[in-house]
Amino acid sequence: MLASGDTPREYAARTMHFNVRDGIAERIDRPVLICEAEDDLFFEGQPQEVFDHLTARDKTLLRLTDAEGAGAHCHVGGQRYAVGKIYNWLSDRMPVSETSGPAASV
C-alpha cells in the first residue's frame, strides 16, 4: 500500500525512527531553512534544537509568530504569509535570470 508500510499505521510507526541525531544534522552542508511556529503544539523547541546542531554555513531559523498570523502548527491561518517568507528565502539563494527558466523560452 505505502512505500514504507502496508498500512497507514505501519507507515506512521516507521517514521518515528527518522531523525537527525548522531551527527546527521552536522553533516548537512547545503543551505537550510528551518521554520518554527511560535505556538506549535507538536514540535515545541525542536526547530531550535536542529538549528543548533547544523554546521552548514548558510542556515536560517525562520520564526513565525501569532502576531503575523502564522504562529500555529503548520502556520494554519497564515500559510500564505509563511509561503511568501519561504519563497523569499529560496529566491535569495536561487535567483532566476531573465535569460533562464521557462519564461525565457517563450
Side-chain angles (χ1 to χ4, degrees):
M1 174 182 177
L2 300 170
S4 294
D6 293 329
T7 67
R9 186 175 196 281
E10 185 178 338
Y11 171 78
R14 287 185 182 193
T15 63
M16 298 299 290
H17 300 288
F18 296 133
N19 64 67
V20 291
R21 292 184 210 111
D22 303 323
I24 293 172
E26 290 81 358
R27 294 188 348 224
I28 298 169
D29 63 357
R30 299 294 181 248
V32 179
L33 172 64
I34 297 178
C35 298
E36 177 179 42
E38 180 177 36
D39 286 329
D40 195 312
L41 298 171
F42 303 101
F43 300 117
E44 183 178 355
Q46 290 183 24
Q48 182 68 56
E49 185 178 343
V50 172
F51 183 81
D52 291 345
H53 281 272
L54 291 169
T55 58
R57 289 184 308 168
D58 183 3
K59 62 180 186 174
T60 303
L61 179 62
L62 174 60
R63 290 191 170 99
L64 296 156
T65 67
D66 288 336
E68 297 165 320
H73 178 73
C74 291
H75 318 297
V76 173
Q79 290 173 334
R80 280 187 179 181
Y81 178 80
V83 169
K85 292 288 222 176
I86 294 165
Y87 178 81
N88 288 341
W89 186 88
L90 287 169
S91 68
D92 287 346
R93 284 149 185 83
M94 299 184 295
V96 177
S97 71
E98 291 184 28
T99 59
S100 67
S105 62
V106 181

